[in-house]
Amino acid sequence: MATTAIDHAPAHTHEHTGLWSWITTVDHKRIGILYGATAFFFFLVGGLEALVIRLQLMGPNKTLVSPDTYNQLFTMHGTTMIFLGVMPLSAMFFNYLIPLQLGARDVAFPRLNAFSYWVFLLGGILINVSWFTGHAPNGGWFGYANLTTKQFSPGPNIDFWTVGLQVLGVASLAAAVNFFVTTVNLRAPGMKMMHMPMFVWMSFITQILLLLSFPIITVALILLMIDRTFGTSFFVPTGGGDPILWQHLFWLFGHPEVYILILPSFGIISEILPVFSRKPLFGYAAMVFSGAFIAFVGFGVWAHHMFATGMGPFADAFFSLATMIIAIPTGVKIFNWIGTIWGGKVDFKTPMLFAIGFIAMFIMGGLSGVMHASPPADLQQTDTYFIVAHFHYVLFGGAIFAISGGAYFWWPKMFGKMLDEGLGKLHFWLMLIAFNLTFFPMHILGLNGMPRRVYTYSAESNFELLNKLETIGALLLGFSFLVFLYNIIKTWRTPQPPVGADPWNAATLEWSIPSPPQHFNYPTLPQVHGRDALWELKARHGGPLPEPQRVAEDAVLMPNPSWKPLVAAIGVTVTLGGFIGGSHLWVHVAGVAILLYGIYAWAFEPAFPEHH
Amino acid sequence: MAHAEAHADEHHYTATGIDNKKLAIWTFIGSECMFFASLIGVYLTYKGRDVSGPKPHAEWLDKAGVLQEQMLEIPLVTFGTALLLFSSFFVVLALNGAQRGNRKQLIGWLVATIFCGVFFVGMQVYEFSHFAHRGMGYTTNLFASTFYTLTGFHGTHVTLGLLWLISVLVVALRGKLPPEKALNLEMAALYWHFVDVVWIVIFPVVYLIR
Amino acid sequence: MATDALHAEHSHPGWQTYLKVAVVLFALTALEVWAYEIVHRHQPAALASLLEPVVVEVLLILSAFKFALVAMFYMHLKMDGKLLTAIFSFSLLLAAVIVVALMVVMHYLWSHAPTVNPLK
């Protein structure tokens, strides 16, 4: 694959740089990078919280942190990893890849996309500011009422949580509307729904889940906030309310949320495996339908998180069966991934290693999941480290492995440089070993009765050895990410020959344009005739395509940059932020004023430059 | 590499032929369905589980031991319901005017829509203050909290819809809503109709079913 | 193809249709309130005893009719693309399931499950 000097051609006359250009950007690629950088930062913060937890649990009766600080640590670790780590890391891929893979120039609503990012950033800051006040949320990432009602949590801790999650919900909903419309409407000419790359399909299903499940948690959070702020009794038993209703509302959102976290990773894996097996994805249609089926049935299984509340035999049986049914489409997916590798010319590059690691780890997480789909087994396992093992196998062994693989895979497209392959392999093997060292013993500890969310254990419990191993594993896991960070910095600093448009000989459209892509992605919209559009083109061309030429940056009219989305995002955050520690009228008024100014200024500014 | 012909107006290309904005507002409405479903679900789940009065459809004893009438007042809310239904009819006529370039029809019916909407919100403000006067505060009992929260969030949506419609009216009055921009009114109208259909559900579920 | 769809979008019905729908909506609302009044006042007695066992169903069906009329005609779903109808219908279906499911699981819990009800 010959690369020409054209990548260095000074055609960047209109490429803006500098801080202000990033603050006002509406370019989906830049917003994707912002999402990725911010989410990676929060991911490291959540990782540090986990390390403190592991150090506290390294031996019996340790007092590194107080019980209350421990509560704050595990609450913020869970909240951060889910809402500020994995979700926005997926959003980085949505932003960067969906328009590129669809053959589009940007998302349907570029300014709304910027708004989503800013709301996410401010929401993340808002929740984490609580650390500096000493009142970080301490009620678990699920915020069970009535532990979280005013009577039992009088401080502002839970307020940061209810308000922060509402702010983040606004970001997710705005982004979901945007990507839904983008996927349906901005497919390149000729690209039917059943031609879309699998990553776009899984992301599309994720947007539907976001749209339908986030309103439920919004209502639950609002009701809890009203309970805490105005003294109503939605979840207060003495007033006739029932805390169990909180659990239903929370898990009605919470279980689809699990698929929101993992479906984008399914998509990433389904892009990596075919490229490094040199074979099209096995069973494309089955993959699409099993993804949709998982999402749909995912709305009917929420109460398997609540077997221990004593819902009664009929409810237990229903939710147990529905949960077990989900194993079928998930199994279909796993067999299809194996079928993709089967008989292929497998090339064990770093992205492929992570993809294979994903399949293996996710199978283990899936199997333990099927175990506690059965209520009697669940009653033994619930609230123990067995559950902690299970969801780390699906969320870390699943989502983080896939996201890491995706990072290595698309890095050359995003930055025009390859990450170091040796360091990448070191990262993978360290992570695989450390991950299993950290989380596998938790299965055993859990079945032996070690409870979750308790800040220490006694010396007589015999939990010490496995806990020590886990802590060593966790430190190693942290180190593996330092290797990744070092790889990024090294790649950044070391000069490299331009990587070319298509370093992996890949199948999808984003590899047909220069790396990194120009502002408008495609000088002319591509015409698509089937699946694996780029392989199709290369097959018809009879070999590698010529290196695409960069064209003048003003060749295509692109939307104006805008700072109004940031203003509107500040408005949203301030309005809701007024609910921390009681309702502060003047904060709400100020927030609404900023929001209205932002929205009106946004609505009446021209989206595009005036026609020449 | 085969390329599509560069469209003269590529910024309006969509794969389905449906405008992006229209698809977006429908997607948002779909999401809002779940928002109101959760609120209605909570209202219905808690219906009849109050530890004390007031009751929506039966007489109740207040703190002084005096027998009080049922809380909900059907004639008042029937009037409000009719207002909201008519406003939906009016805004569809305004949109019709906007699409056909009939400025008089557009502005006249839009003003009528806003008028109905303002009176609906007024009805709700009166209803809430009247109920408070009759001894039902926000935290009085579970019925009070669920009722005020559900109808209050609906009222907030009506108010936002009004703000939107008024903004479109100002644009129209400045003569900046030609037929090719009628979609800007159609989006507000779709949102307005959605708020109306939510009330079509709330009216029987909260007020008429005992 | 895109232009065809755009044309289809603009062939919305005229004001006569809209007026007919408005009249029907108003009549159905009157029916709803009437049904409520019959049961509430128990007058006329014959009609009331006939209506009482099914009044919830009657009210819900009338409401569903009104809902469908507004969605089909005022929100133009009858004329606009099938995709929009699919989005709205799917959301509505799930919304209805959620309402019913919440009621069922909680009432089942309160009536059958071996928990202590603080109200009793």
Side-chain angles (χ1 to χ4, degrees):
Chain A
M1 189 143 296
T3 42
T4 60
I6 198 74
D7 277 330
H8 288 311
H12 301 250
T13 45
H14 285 260
E15 187 92 74
H16 297 283
T17 52
L19 183 64
W20 186 245
S21 76
W22 283 88
I23 290 175
T24 59
T25 188
V26 295
D27 176 1
H28 73 98
K29 296 180 291 299
R30 285 189 162 202
I31 293 170
I33 291 169
L34 286 172
Y35 259 110
T38 314
F40 190 58
F41 172 76
F42 282 129
F43 177 77
L44 293 179
V45 171
L48 285 178
E49 286 155 6
L51 287 183
V52 179
I53 292 174
R54 278 319 318 164
L55 289 174
Q56 161 68 19
L57 293 177
M58 195 156 79
N61 301 316
K62 283 188 95 67
T63 50
L64 178 69
V65 293
S66 68
D68 186 49
T69 310
Y70 188 85
N71 290 346
Q72 299 183 13
L73 279 169
F74 75 69
T75 300
M76 284 302 287
H77 169 70
T79 305
T80 302
M81 287 309 196
I82 288 166
F83 294 101
L84 306 175
V86 174
M87 276 180 79
L89 282 171
S90 300
M92 165 183 76
F93 289 109
F94 299 158
N95 267 283
Y96 207 92
L97 290 177
I98 290 179
L100 285 178
Q101 292 200 327
L102 288 174
R105 297 221 163 104
D106 207 320
V107 293
F109 305 102
R111 284 177 293 174
L112 187 66
N113 199 23
F115 171 77
S116 299
Y117 169 72
W118 293 116
V119 176
F120 151 66
L121 175 69
L122 294 172
I125 292 173
L126 184 81
I127 292 191
N128 276 290
V129 158
S130 62
W131 281 118
F132 300 104
T133 68
H135 297 286
N138 54 0
W141 88 276
F142 37 79
Y144 278 170
N146 50 354
L147 174 65
T148 46
T149 52
K150 201 79 183 167
Q151 188 186 353
F152 302 105
S153 291
N157 312 52
I158 303 298
D159 294 333
F160 280 105
W161 185 80
T162 54
V163 170
L165 289 199
Q166 283 180 65
V167 174
L168 292 171
V170 172
S172 295
L173 279 174
V177 169
N178 209 343
F179 288 114
F180 183 92
V181 175
T182 303
T183 310
V184 172
N185 260 356
L186 298 193
R187 282 167 287 137
M191 186 187 278
K192 302 201 170 93
M193 289 299 274
M194 290 305 274
H195 293 164
M196 297 194 309
M198 192 53 60
F199 173 74
V200 179
W201 251 117
M202 292 303 117
S203 307
F204 179 63
I205 294 170
T206 307
Q207 309 312 321
I208 297 172
L209 285 176
L210 282 163
L211 287 165
L212 295 173
S213 70
F214 261 74
I216 308 175
I217 186 74
T218 306
V219 166
L221 290 167
I222 288 172
L223 297 184
L224 181 60
M225 190 173 82
I226 293 174
D227 264 4
R228 293 177 51 80
T229 311
F230 302 113
T232 50
S233 307
F234 290 109
F235 306 117
V236 181
T238 48
D242 194 328
I244 297 292
L245 184 65
W246 165 269
Q247 294 197 22
H248 278 295
L249 289 172
F250 184 84
W251 290 115
L252 255 169
F253 146 81
H255 202 78
E257 168 72 15
V258 170
Y259 298 114
I260 290 168
L261 295 168
I262 200 67
L263 282 178
S265 296
F266 285 1
I268 292 171
I269 292 308
S270 306
E271 295 298 319
I272 294 176
L273 289 172
V275 170
F276 295 94
S277 307
R278 318 287 341 136
K279 266 178 71 195
L281 186 67
F282 185 83
Y284 176 96
M287 284 296 228
V288 171
F289 291 125
S290 56
F293 187 72
I294 289 172
F296 186 69
V297 180
F299 267 102
V301 303
W302 76 89
H304 67 214
H305 297 268
M306 301 167 56
F307 286 143
T309 61
M311 296 182 295
F314 175 76
D316 279 4
F318 176 88
F319 288 108
S320 171
L321 278 174
T323 307
M324 290 178 187
I325 283 173
I326 288 216
I328 297 171
T330 314
V332 168
K333 281 194 166 293
I334 287 171
F335 280 113
N336 279 354
W337 287 322
I338 295 172
T340 306
I341 309 172
W342 192 275
K345 271 167 52 185
V346 182
D347 185 5
F348 290 102
K349 289 265 171 30
T350 307
M352 185 62 170
L353 290 177
F354 276 107
I356 295 171
F358 165 93
I359 298 175
M361 296 303 106
F362 189 78
I363 287 175
M364 292 181 63
L367 286 179
S368 58
V370 179
M371 287 168 76
H372 37 253
S374 160
D378 181 74
L379 287 181
Q380 293 299 312
Q381 296 162 1
T382 192
D383 259 334
T384 73
Y385 266 83
F386 191 87
I387 303 290
V388 181
H390 159 70
F391 65 69
H392 281 94
Y393 266 85
V394 286
L395 279 183
F396 200 118
I400 296 297
F401 270 70
I403 287 167
S404 305
Y408 282 92
F409 184 55
W410 279 291
W411 198 274
K413 181 50 64 186
M414 293 170 82
F415 300 105
K417 281 179 160 187
M418 294 292 255
L419 283 172
D420 188 275
E421 187 63 20
L423 285 170
K425 288 203 166 106
L426 178 67
H427 174 195
F428 168 73
W429 286 110
L430 266 177
M431 192 159 124
L432 185 74
I433 293 164
F435 166 75
N436 283 292
L437 188 59
T438 313
F439 295 107
F440 192 82
M442 290 187 186
H443 290 110
I444 302 162
L445 280 174
L447 291 181
N448 284 344
M450 180 168 169
R452 296 167 71 176
R453 308 182 195 110
V454 177
Y455 78 108
T456 191
Y457 50 89
S458 70
E460 302 82 64
S461 60
N462 279 329
F463 294 154
E464 191 181 351
L465 176 67
L466 289 178
N467 269 296
K468 273 219 163 53
L469 281 180
E470 286 169 8
T471 303
I472 294 166
L475 291 170
L476 209 57
L477 205 49
F479 178 71
S480 78
F481 276 92
L482 288 183
V483 173
F484 181 48
L485 211 56
Y486 173 69
N487 197 346
I488 292 173
I489 294 166
K490 190 186 160 218
T491 307
W492 196 268
R493 293 227 170 142
T494 322
Q496 238 184 57
V499 75
D502 186 17
W504 308 114
N505 191 4
T508 39
L509 284 173
E510 75 270 27
W511 304 99
S512 69
I513 50 174
S515 314
Q518 290 184 274
H519 184 190
F520 42 78
N521 303 344
Y522 298 91
T524 47
L525 295 183
Q527 182 80 40
V528 177
H529 304 285
R531 289 169 200 160
D532 296 329
L534 190 56
W535 275 355
E536 185 75 28
L537 276 174
K538 285 187 267 198
R540 247 188 277 163
H541 190 262
L545 297 174
E547 198 59 34
Q549 308 288 306
R550 283 186 184 271
V551 298
E553 280 291 341
D554 55 3
V556 180
L557 198 65
M558 289 306 285
N560 283 325
S562 174
W563 46 268
K564 278 83 175 184
L566 174 58
V567 176
I570 294 172
V572 168
T573 315
V574 173
T575 308
L576 286 166
F579 278 107
I580 291 174
S583 178
H584 308 285
L585 186 63
W586 61 270
V587 182
H588 300 315
V589 171
V592 170
I594 298 170
L595 178 61
L596 284 179
Y597 171 73
I599 288 178
Y600 277 100
W602 173 348
F604 289 105
E605 75 175 355
F608 282 90
E610 296 300 315
H611 286 274
H612 333 270
Chain B
M1 185 168 180
H3 286 306
E5 287 298 314
H7 291 274
D9 205 3
E10 231 173 29
H11 292 300
H12 285 96
Y13 161 80
T14 69
T16 56
I18 302 169
D19 190 280
N20 283 341
K21 286 182 180 173
K22 191 161 171 175
L23 185 57
I25 192 77
W26 271 109
T27 312
F28 177 66
I29 285 174
S31 186
E32 286 269 86
C33 286
M34 298 304 289
F35 182 84
F36 279 105
S38 309
L39 284 173
I40 293 171
V42 171
Y43 176 87
L44 285 176
T45 302
Y46 278 158
K47 197 173 158 157
R49 283 188 53 90
D50 314 283
V51 258
S52 62
K55 291 183 183 336
H57 288 111
E59 292 169 332
W60 52 285
L61 287 172
D62 66 11
K63 280 192 189 114
V66 183
L67 197 65
Q68 298 280 350
E69 288 277 298
Q70 76 165 50
M71 209 63 216
L72 297 177
E73 296 178 10
I74 308 305
L76 178 71
V77 74
T78 306
F79 173 66
T81 305
L83 279 175
L84 216 48
L85 282 180
F86 278 123
S87 78
S88 253
F89 173 47
F90 295 159
V91 79
V92 101
L93 293 179
L95 176 63
N96 189 277
Q99 283 166 341
R100 296 190 303 131
N102 186 335
R103 194 177 138 87
K104 231 178 180 174
Q105 186 187 341
L106 159 63
I107 288 170
W109 290 117
L110 198 50
V111 169
T113 310
I114 293 167
F115 194 74
C116 285
V118 170
F119 265 84
F120 178 85
V121 175
M123 181 282 294
Q124 207 170 34
V125 170
Y126 171 76
E127 186 193 38
F128 281 16
S129 56
H130 181 59
F131 283 179
H133 190 71
R134 283 175 59 196
M136 186 167 88
Y138 190 29
T139 58
T140 305
N141 68 356
L142 210 49
F143 163 66
S145 308
T146 50
F147 169 82
Y148 284 130
T149 307
L150 172 57
T151 55
F153 267 105
H154 178 266
T156 314
H157 278 70
V158 176
T159 311
L160 291 176
L162 273 175
L163 212 59
W164 195 350
L165 288 175
I166 291 169
S167 311
V168 176
L169 177 66
V170 171
V171 171
L173 282 172
R174 286 188 186 164
K176 288 183 179 167
L177 200 71
E180 62 269 21
K181 285 193 176 173
L183 185 69
N184 290 339
L185 174 58
E186 190 172 0
M187 286 175 48
L190 281 171
Y191 180 78
W192 189 254
H193 293 308
F194 172 70
V195 170
D196 185 27
V197 293
V198 170
W199 190 256
I200 285 176
V201 175
I202 291 179
F203 178 55
V205 164
V206 173
Y207 289 89
L208 299 185
I209 294 175
R210 302 158 66 84
Chain C
M1 193 199 100
T3 39
D4 282 353
L6 280 177
H7 270 291
E9 266 183 54
H10 284 290
S11 62
H12 290 157
W15 65 270
Q16 297 94 333
T17 315
Y18 293 141
L19 181 63
K20 278 181 212 156
V21 173
V23 171
V24 175
L25 284 173
F26 194 73
L28 289 176
T29 310
L31 269 181
E32 284 179 333
V33 179
W34 192 44
Y36 170 84
E37 289 291 326
I38 289 171
V39 175
H40 186 63
R41 296 185 196 288
H42 212 74
Q43 261 173 352
L47 205 50
S49 50
L50 202 68
L51 192 58
E52 243 160 64
V54 290
V55 70
V56 174
E57 289 83 348
V58 167
L59 285 172
L60 288 180
I61 289 167
L62 287 174
S63 158
F65 261 113
K66 287 165 69 184
F67 195 108
L69 280 175
V70 174
M72 282 163 64
F73 291 96
Y74 289 174
M75 297 170 97
H76 307 307
L77 282 182
K78 197 162 182 290
M79 288 67 79
D80 286 357
K82 284 200 182 86
L83 175 66
L84 303 179
T85 313
I87 292 172
F88 196 38
S89 315
F90 185 75
S91 312
L92 278 178
L93 181 77
L94 194 63
V97 170
I98 295 301
V99 172
V100 175
L102 277 177
M103 291 171 71
V104 168
V105 286
M106 290 308 289
H107 283 275
Y108 179 69
L109 174 76
W110 292 326
S111 59
H112 292 282
T115 51
V116 180
N117 187 337
L119 302 182
K120 286 176 183 159

